[in-house]
Amino acid sequence: MKRVVLIRHGESVWNKENRFTGWTDVDLTEKGVEEAHKAGKLLKKEGFHFEKAYTSYLKRAVKTLNVVLDEMDLDWIPVEKTWRLNEKHYGMLQGLNKSETAEKYGDEQVLIWRRSYDIPPTELAKDDPRSPFMDVRYKGVDEKDLPLTEALSHTVDRILPYWNDTVVPEMKEKYNEVIIAAHGNSLRGIIKHLKGISDEDIVSLNLPTAVPYVFEFDDNMNLVKDYFLGDPEEIKKLMDAVANQAKKK
């Protein structure tokens, strides 16, 4: 049996302020750090022993992973970072408050921007300070791959090559247990692929912060089962809170 644990980063400063974050590199809150500590302790208690970790270029995911691995005494394992695991790029919405945006444009329009499978928000100008073209960490990425906005479909399209060409072969050849620390929408893309979730239904999948989501596979990386670690009632409350973030107050 092989296991992949997906974990969304702990609460970030802009999660707390209810802002569209996307590729903006904001830090964890104190609560977010505590969530990561809790996840690491739970994974250690449940007997997980990761051999490799994958994460994005964004510090909220990187720091969540570091805390989890530290709690598990696994600081030494190899960690691979990739821009392909970054959050969905929210274009011109990045930095805006979700509730205030809903007041202005309506709940339905904001839900489309947040979760529509194929309708992206308005894109940024290439020279906007929020643009990845202005960020040194993406200098090594082919310009044609850098987004100025994304719908979930675009996020899925950039993540699946990494899953199929990097993670899956490494799991088949070298590893039995790995962890991927990333973001709500980038993880949603992997989950959609693994579980065959439709374009329509993936919109309503809400991932809570720093709750480990376990996927078990056979040796050929065929999915056997998946489950969240933790108290089911608490996890449901956390999922509902994520769903309600962008509604008018």
Side-chain angles (χ1 to χ4, degrees), residues 3-7 43 48 50 178-181 212-215:
R3 298 196 289 192
V4 176
V5 173
L6 306 181
I7 187 165
L43 286 161
F48 285 82
F50 303 120
V178 302
I179 183 169
I180 300 175
Y213 193 179
V214 184
F215 286 78

Side-chain angles (χ1 to χ4, degrees), residues 19-244:
R19 295 178 184 273
F20 290 100
T21 311
W23 284 33
T24 313
D25 199 19
V26 300
D27 213 335
L28 296 175
T29 61
E30 286 186 22
K31 178 185 175 186
V33 174
E34 284 306 309
E35 288 174 338
H37 279 290
K38 181 180 176 183
K41 288 172 181 170
L42 179 59
L43 286 161
K44 185 175 183 178
K45 178 186 166 195
E46 295 293 329
F48 285 82
H49 189 90
F50 303 120
E51 298 150 290
K52 185 172 180 178
Y54 308 85
T55 190
S56 73
Y57 278 2
L58 302 171
K59 70 173 71 173
R60 58 194 186 272
V62 174
K63 289 188 175 183
T64 297
L65 177 63
N66 290 344
V67 170
V68 167
L69 295 180
D70 190 51
E71 282 288 355
M72 301 176 74
D73 298 318
L74 292 175
D75 309 71
W76 55 273
I77 68 169
V79 175
E80 186 167 306
K81 294 172 185 157
T82 174
W83 66 275
R84 290 185 181 274
L85 284 171
N86 277 15
E87 177 59 292
K88 182 178 98 169
H89 197 294
Y90 277 100
M92 288 295 291
L93 293 178
Q94 290 192 171
L96 301 183
N97 179 278
K98 294 175 184 176
S99 293
E100 290 172 4
T101 307
E103 291 281 357
K104 186 172 180 179
Y105 296 103
D107 286 340
E108 189 175 344
Q109 180 61 61
V110 173
L111 184 64
I112 289 170
W113 282 331
R114 285 185 78 206
R115 296 291 170 75
S116 164
Y117 191 67
D118 53 11
I119 302 173
T122 303
E123 68 177 34
L124 292 174
K126 197 172 177 181
D127 62 353
D128 188 293
R130 297 170 290 174
S131 161
F133 289 89
M134 308 298 286
D135 192 326
V136 68
R137 83 193 74 192
Y138 304 113
K139 292 295 184 191
V141 180
D142 192 320
E143 286 201 3
K144 70 177 173 51
D145 292 328
L146 287 178
L148 294 168
T149 187
E150 287 181 311
L152 183 55
S153 60
H154 304 123
T155 313
V156 173
D157 287 345
R158 69 165 151 87
I159 286 161
L160 287 188
Y162 188 75
W163 171 263
N164 289 323
D165 300 338
T166 300
V167 180
V168 170
E170 290 189 350
M171 288 296 291
K172 284 181 175 178
E173 295 165 19
K174 293 193 273 190
Y175 304 124
N176 289 315
E177 288 191 357
V178 302
I179 183 169
I180 300 175
H183 308 265
N185 283 298
S186 52
L187 294 176
R188 194 178 272 117
I190 295 172
I191 295 162
K192 181 185 192 302
H193 170 67
L194 293 178
K195 299 189 70 175
I197 299 173
S198 70
D199 296 355
E200 294 76 24
D201 290 344
I202 195 64
V203 175
S204 57
L205 173 67
N206 295 295
L207 291 177
T209 51
V211 175
Y213 193 179
V214 184
F215 286 78
E216 296 185 357
F217 302 86
D218 64 20
D219 287 344
N220 292 315
M221 287 299 287
N222 297 306
L223 182 61
V224 176
K225 66 176 178 175
D226 61 282
Y227 52 94
F228 285 98
L229 280 188
D231 176 59
E233 285 191 17
E234 182 185 350
I235 291 168
K236 184 180 184 306
K237 286 178 187 173
L238 293 170
M239 285 178 159
D240 290 343
V242 174
N244 291 327

